[in-house]
């Protein structure tokens, strides 16, 4: 259709056209799915990058992607395309900073912060490729990515720079519906490809979003702030072909070998103690076998949970660890860093948690958070072990706990000062007693 003045005059009622006319319904653009891709990208934050923090650039890119979805939803499609383009540019800068040598990184960062002239996207990409062998190795596994970015950027620029009648808000009314379909399709392709590009830049910093799902690395990490990329994200954004090539790179294999040589592979139940502080007493034998692979406080929590297994809700090693088990009823999740101090004021043995909460001025009146358990505090070296139970401990159990705390406390001092190893816990009377009863 020709876009002539007479056409405008005859078919447009007003020059002012709200962009909402061009908005796709939510089911047409699958907003929820696209937002989920952004969430997964944001969850892949790295715990390994020094200042200037890559995570700040990653999260800024995610914010720009989220903004683009809000903008396209409101009909501001040119601004939406621009926000997507910015997302790819911002994360590339963060990746570059993370992969430069310290002195050069500081110099480049100072130019960026002071708003001096800074390289363009294409210049940054060339710089990163020339400076970082590992990044170049990644791109070699996906040689089409540069061409893909260039092609989509050129298409997006037509909307951003208003070239062609389809990019106009004031085009004739009868072509709006068909134009909106093209906009939706182009935006969705551009959005998903940019998420893919951002993911690749993320993986150029460290491989944890993929590595955490690797069977060779399963049950090895005691804790990790990074979440792995889900299978749906890989299928629809990153691509299974890319992942298959990525895990064969020297860059990735070096990381896997370093992880395997640093962290032992635990049994699932032991890993749950280490990673979640969840003590599954139905698999206590597995945990006891690997007790020396846990931290000192984690191992202590396991021993005391097993000691009072039928009654224990949670173990609170004050100010250090909060662990729960599956023997008694579920924990309310209430944890006070100074719980032992309150328990000591109230008698130390079988102190109602509700009384501790009252002393700490905590409101426990909410019907969904009943506080009806009991706290018994045992001294171990300079720390306290608070046992949360759903029933009262009898005199024999209290004495058993005191003896166990004394024995463990003596060993704590030696382990902390390097006089003995964690394996010595398996030689204690407490461990032998528990081992006989499981």
């Amino acid at each position: 259709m020709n876009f002539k003045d007479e056409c405008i005059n005859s078919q447009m009622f007003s020059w002012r056209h709200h962009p909402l006319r061009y908005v796709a319904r939510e089911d047409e653009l699958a907003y929820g799915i696209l937002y989920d891709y952004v969430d997964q990208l944001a969850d892949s934050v790295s715990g390994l990058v020094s200042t200037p923090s890559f995570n700040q650039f990653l999260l800024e890119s995610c914010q720009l992607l989220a903004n683009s979805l809000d903008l396209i939803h409101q009909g501001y499609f040119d601004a939406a395309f621009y926000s997507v383009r910015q997302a790819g540019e911002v994360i590339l800068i963060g990746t570059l900073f993370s992969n430069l040598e310290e002195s050069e990184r500081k110099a480049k960062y100072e130019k960026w912060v002071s708003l001096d002239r800074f390289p363009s996207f294409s210049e940054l990409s060339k710089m990163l490729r020339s400076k970082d062998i590992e990044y170049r190795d990644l791109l070699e596994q996906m040689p089409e990515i540069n061409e893909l970015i260039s092609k989509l950027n050129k298409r997006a620029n037509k909307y951003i720079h208003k070239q062609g009648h389809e990019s106009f808000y004031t085009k004739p009314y009868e072509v709006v519906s068909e134009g909106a379909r093209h906009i939706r399709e182009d935006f969705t392709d551009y959005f998903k490809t940019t998420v893919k590009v951002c993911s690749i830049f993320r993986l150029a910093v460290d491989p944890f979003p993929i590595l955490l799902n690797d069977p060779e690395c399963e049950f090895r990490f005691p804790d990790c702030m990074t979440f792995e990329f889900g299978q749906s994200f890989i299928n629809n954004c990153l691509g299974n072909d890319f992942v298959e090539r990525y895990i064969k790179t020297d860059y990735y294999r070096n990381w896997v070998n370093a992880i395997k040589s640093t962290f032992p592979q635990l049994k699932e139940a032991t890993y749950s103690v280490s990673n979640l502080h969840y003590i599954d007493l139905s698999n206590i034998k597995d945990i006891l076998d690997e007790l020396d692979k846990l931290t000192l406080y984690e191992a202590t929590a396991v021993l005391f949970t097993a000691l009072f297994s039928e009654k224990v809700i949670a173990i609170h090693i004050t100010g250090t660890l909060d662990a729960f088990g599956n023997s008694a009823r579920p924990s309310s999740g209430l944890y006070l860093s100074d719980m032992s101090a309150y328990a000591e004021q109230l008698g130390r043995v079988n102190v109602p948690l509700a009384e501790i909460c009252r002393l700490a001025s905590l409101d426990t009146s909410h019907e969904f958070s009943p506080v009806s358990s009991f706290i018994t505090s045992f001294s171990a070296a300079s720390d306290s072990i608070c046992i949360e139970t759903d029933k009262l401990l009898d005199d024999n159990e209290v004495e058993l706990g005191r003896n166990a705390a004394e024995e463990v406390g003596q060993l704590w001092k030696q382990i902390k000062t390097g006089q003995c190893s964690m394996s010595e816990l398996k030689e204690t009377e407490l461990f032998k007693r528990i081992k006989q009863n499981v």
Side-chain angles (χ1 to χ4, degrees):
M1 180 175 183
N2 293 326
F3 196 50
K4 297 179 179 179
D5 290 343
E6 58 267 25
C7 182
I8 296 177
N9 293 332
S10 64
Q11 300 191 35
M12 286 191 172
F13 297 102
S14 168
W15 68 272
R16 181 72 172 93
H17 289 272
H18 196 280
L20 208 59
R21 286 172 46 198
Y22 300 90
V23 173
R25 294 191 302 272
E26 291 198 13
D27 60 330
E28 292 178 316
L29 197 56
Y31 289 98
I33 294 174
L34 298 182
Y35 266 117
D36 183 62
Y37 296 154
V38 180
D39 282 339
Q40 289 206 50
L41 185 61
D43 284 341
S44 72
V45 291
S46 173
L48 303 175
V49 187
S50 59
T51 305
S53 174
F54 169 79
N55 290 336
Q56 188 174 357
F57 291 89
L58 169 65
L59 294 177
E60 183 69 14
S61 291
C62 291
Q63 182 66 59
L64 288 164
L65 289 168
N67 289 352
S68 76
L69 291 173
D70 292 338
L71 289 164
I72 197 77
H73 179 62
Q74 296 174 62
Y76 298 101
F77 53 84
D78 49 356
F81 277 93
Y82 186 56
S83 191
V84 174
R85 193 179 76 176
Q86 285 179 306
E89 293 171 353
V90 167
I91 197 170
L92 175 58
I93 294 170
T95 305
L96 178 67
F97 285 151
S98 301
N99 286 278
L100 292 175
E101 292 295 329
E102 184 68 19
S103 58
E104 188 174 6
R105 178 172 66 183
K106 285 183 178 180
K108 288 285 190 296
Y109 184 63
E110 286 302 318
K111 289 190 68 174
W112 183 80
V113 169
S114 62
L115 306 184
D116 283 352
R117 195 267 171 190
F118 203 71
S120 65
F121 183 90
S122 59
E123 290 173 318
L124 287 171
S125 186
K126 290 177 182 177
M127 188 184 305
L128 185 57
R129 183 187 288 267
S130 65
K131 296 288 183 181
D132 187 12
I133 296 174
E134 293 173 342
Y135 175 72
R136 190 161 63 245
D137 188 22
L138 289 183
L139 288 189
E140 287 173 358
Q141 303 307 310
M142 192 174 180
E144 70 275 15
I145 192 65
N146 279 344
E147 182 182 346
L148 193 58
I149 295 171
S150 177
K151 180 181 178 182
L152 285 168
N153 275 344
K154 287 177 182 178
R155 183 71 184 115
N157 285 343
K158 304 306 179 183
Y159 292 108
I160 293 169
H161 298 300
K162 293 297 178 183
Q163 182 179 350
H165 300 316
E166 192 172 273
S167 68
F168 277 33
Y169 290 110
T170 54
K171 58 192 170 184
Y173 184 78
E174 63 264 27
V175 301
V176 167
S177 179
E178 182 65 17
R181 183 178 67 81
H182 288 305
I183 292 169
R184 288 199 303 272
E185 291 173 352
D186 287 343
F187 176 81
T188 301
D189 287 345
Y190 191 48
F191 185 94
K192 290 172 66 175
T193 302
T194 301
V195 172
K196 180 176 190 172
V197 171
C198 290
S199 302
I200 292 172
F201 289 150
R202 166 63 188 90
L203 292 170
V205 173
D206 69 61
F208 281 81
I210 298 297
L211 187 142
L212 287 169
N213 267 328
D214 194 309
E216 292 185 78
C217 298
E218 190 176 26
F219 305 139
R220 288 187 185 273
F221 300 100
D223 194 12
C224 187
M225 67 183 293
T226 305
F227 287 87
E228 66 270 20
F229 289 145
Q231 191 57 52
S232 175
F233 182 88
I234 292 173
N235 292 342
N236 295 291
C237 286
L238 193 54
N240 287 292
D241 289 343
F242 171 79
V243 172
E244 288 177 8
R245 296 194 295 264
Y246 176 72
I247 63 177
K248 294 176 182 177
T249 63
D250 291 340
Y251 168 76
Y252 181 83
R253 292 309 311 170
N254 289 339
W255 269 98
V256 170
N257 293 333
I259 294 299
K260 289 169 66 176
S261 64
T262 304
F263 300 102
Q265 191 163 37
L266 304 175
K267 296 177 181 177
E268 184 174 1
T270 316
Y271 182 76
S272 292
V273 178
S274 176
N275 192 47
L276 303 175
H277 294 164
Y278 170 65
I279 301 168
D280 180 7
L281 287 176
S282 64
N283 288 300
I284 189 62
K285 289 183 179 180
D286 286 346
I287 301 173
L288 292 175
D289 286 345
E290 297 184 322
L291 194 70
D292 54 337
K293 295 180 180 180
L294 297 169
T295 67
L296 183 57
Y297 293 127
E298 289 166 354
T300 300
V302 168
L303 293 174
F304 275 82
T305 299
L307 186 64
F308 303 112
S309 60
E310 294 181 359
K311 296 182 177 181
V312 171
I313 295 174
I315 303 289
H316 312 283
I317 301 180
T318 310
T320 307
L321 178 75
D322 185 30
F324 61 98
N326 62 346
S327 50
R329 61 182 171 81
S331 169
S332 64
L334 184 64
Y335 174 61
L336 302 174
S337 60
D338 48 359
M339 185 178 287
S340 61
Y342 290 119
E344 187 169 351
Q345 291 182 52
L346 295 168
R348 297 183 69 98
V349 176
N350 292 323
V351 178
L353 183 55
E355 288 298 304
I356 292 177
C357 292
R358 181 189 58 77
L359 195 61
S361 300
L362 292 178
D363 181 11
T364 59
S365 60
H366 196 286
E367 61 178 316
F368 298 110
S369 300
V371 178
S372 57
S373 54
F374 304 91
I375 299 294
T376 299
S377 178
F378 299 106
S379 295
S382 58
D383 290 297
S384 294
I385 304 169
C386 292
I387 315 297
E388 183 179 352
T389 59
D390 67 339
K391 298 181 180 66
L392 298 174
L393 297 181
D394 60 34
D395 292 342
N396 289 333
E397 289 171 326
V398 172
E399 185 62 24
L400 189 63
R402 284 175 178 154
N403 292 337
E406 183 179 354
E407 184 179 24
V408 168
Q410 292 175 355
L411 200 56
W412 276 11
K413 295 176 182 178
Q414 295 176 303
I415 292 175
K416 288 178 178 179
T417 56
Q419 297 177 47
C420 67
S421 65
M422 283 289 295
S423 61
E424 293 294 320
L425 280 172
K426 292 185 175 183
E427 302 300 321
T428 61
E429 292 300 319
L430 174 60
F431 180 87
K432 294 174 182 177
R433 179 191 185 100
I434 291 169
K435 191 74 172 175
Q436 286 179 346
N437 293 330
V438 297

